Amino acid sequence: MKGLYTALMCSFDEKGNVNEKGLREIVRHNIDVQQMDGLYVNGSTGENFLISLAQKKQIFDIVKNEAGDDVKLIAQVGALNLDEAVELAKYATDLGYNAISAVTPFYYKFDFEEIKDYYNTILNSVDNDLIIYSIPALTGVNMNLEQFGELFENDKVIGVKFTAPDFFLLERIRHAYPEKLIFSGFDEMLLSASVLNVDGAIGSTFNVNGQRARQIFELAQEGRIDEARDVQKATNDLIAGILDNGLYPTIKEMLKYKGVDAGFCRKPMKSLSEEGIKRAQEIADKHL
Ligand code: NAY
């Protein structure tokens, strides 16, 4: 399961329905052009927390049908409604997803026992491996080394998608759990994470910048840090522009600019103005 995974975007039409043709094009683009090792489906980048249960299943279906066995597939199934998370975990496992992942439960301030119970409930329902999705900036859930360790005691918990700028904690996890998989989640910090020997990365910007991400990751593994730093610099010029213009709508406009029918974002996320679209194209021209 090691390697580079796109946090897959989903194409929606203006009414918020899944645009199947567009989603298939995004999948193909990530496999054939960005040359990803795998796809992380229905994560934050997939606007997962804005869509219905039926749409989540529809997206799992379409992606598996389009990707087949070409790349590894991870299904993000985490949800505040635990019954829904279990249903999705079973659904994706039956479809043949290689692993599931679940965001830490958020909004209510769950204590660690509750978080542990959430993961065990999902895991007890399926015969599949799980990757913890930790993203404290969006969930407000900060777990420490000991808590990660407790979750890792279950052999079916094979790793963590670590989307945080805490390199002290990242190094401690790496050192304490060499057998678990760590995926870096912040693309602008990929080099720093790669130097700490993460096993891979999962990123939204890989939808358009996957090839540079691979260069950073592989150069770091080879110890060619000066070269990796140059590629991270070019990457961060791109990412700074994307973040400034609106993360997901800008990546979608860049995909459209490259001929991929990436569609619109789901409300309440807004789509770009004419000026924003022009800006997205300028950033693509300059930095891709
Ligand atoms: C997800 O589930 O889609 C991810 O968390 C992928 C990781 C991304 N995080 C978010 C919140 O989008 O790729 C990152 C991020 O977009 C990028 O580093 C820019 O900050």
Side-chain angles (χ1 to χ4, degrees):
M1 293 298 293
K2 294 182 182 190
L4 298 178
Y5 290 69
T6 288
L8 196 72
M9 308 224 94
C10 182
S11 180
F12 297 101
D13 67 20
E14 272 174 290
K15 290 191 177 142
N17 303 307
V18 175
N19 167 4
E20 176 169 347
K21 173 182 155 288
L23 177 55
R24 286 182 185 276
E25 286 183 24
I26 295 175
V27 169
R28 287 262 58 93
H29 174 80
N30 275 292
I31 297 173
D32 301 335
V33 180
Q34 301 300 333
Q35 311 234 302
M36 291 286 104
D37 299 311
L39 308 174
Y40 187 85
V41 186
N42 282 342
S44 310
T45 308
E47 299 167 63
N48 175 73
F49 305 104
L50 305 177
I51 62 179
S52 69
L53 177 62
Q55 286 178 315
K56 291 175 193 180
K57 289 182 175 175
Q58 186 189 3
I59 293 166
F60 284 146
D61 281 334
I62 295 169
V63 173
K64 178 62 188 171
N65 181 270
E66 185 60 48
D69 295 323
D70 293 355
V71 292
K72 295 270 192 265
L73 297 177
I74 302 174
Q76 198 296 120
V77 302
L80 278 187
N81 178 334
L82 190 47
D83 294 337
E84 181 176 315
V86 165
E87 190 174 331
L88 288 168
K90 287 182 182 162
Y91 194 80
T93 300
D94 289 347
L95 279 175
Y97 275 67
N98 302 88
I100 55 173
S101 179
V103 70
T104 51
F106 54 92
Y107 190 77
Y108 301 101
K109 301 239 176 280
F110 299 106
D111 67 25
F112 182 65
E113 285 312 307
E114 292 167 324
I115 294 174
K116 216 166 117 176
D117 183 54
Y118 164 92
Y119 281 111
N120 285 335
T121 304
I122 297 172
L123 274 171
N124 290 339
S125 71
V126 286
D127 184 16
N128 206 343
D129 294 327
L130 180 137
I131 294 160
I132 298 161
Y133 178 12
S134 175
I135 180 161
L138 293 186
T139 59
V141 180
N142 280 285
M143 292 194 295
N144 60 33
L145 180 64
E146 290 68 33
Q147 291 170 332
F148 276 109
E150 266 196 60
L151 296 179
F152 285 158
E153 277 171 20
N154 186 330
D155 288 341
K156 286 163 82 182
V157 178
I158 57 169
V160 56
K161 169 159 130 58
F162 188 92
T163 308
D166 187 341
F167 291 102
F168 182 26
L169 179 58
L170 177 55
E171 188 279 333
R172 292 289 81 191
I173 298 175
R174 174 72 305 163
H175 177 76
Y177 302 102
E179 74 289 1
K180 298 290 180 183
L181 296 171
I182 305 178
F183 294 97
S184 166
F186 271 131
D187 316 348
E188 51 277 45
M189 303 174 202
L190 176 57
L191 173 56
S192 315
S194 301
V195 167
L196 291 174
N197 272 341
V198 292
D199 301 287
I202 299 169
S204 65
T205 62
F206 301 174
N207 282 277
V208 290
N209 194 49
Q211 295 189 12
R212 275 205 199 107
R214 185 172 303 284
Q215 286 173 11
I216 295 168
F217 186 60
E218 290 182 353
L219 286 167
Q221 285 182 323
E222 291 164 20
R224 294 160 64 186
I225 303 302
D226 284 348
E227 291 161 84
R229 198 164 30 224
D230 287 344
V231 186
Q232 184 74 68
K233 193 249 167 218
T235 289
N236 287 1
D237 289 343
L238 171 75
I239 293 179
I242 291 175
L243 291 175
D244 189 47
N245 200 49
L247 178 59
Y248 303 138
T250 300
I251 297 175
K252 285 194 175 179
E253 283 308 326
M254 288 178 167
L255 281 169
K256 286 193 232 177
Y257 195 43
K258 304 265 167 216
V260 179
D261 179 11
F264 299 86
C265 288
R266 285 271 308 183
K267 284 184 177 179
M269 219 174 268
K270 59 180 188 294
S271 293
L272 295 180
S273 62
E274 281 305 313
E275 199 186 318
I277 293 173
K278 221 173 121 229
R279 179 78 195 119
Q281 296 175 349
E282 284 166 7
I283 299 165
D285 283 339
K286 192 162 174 206
H287 296 296
L288 275 179

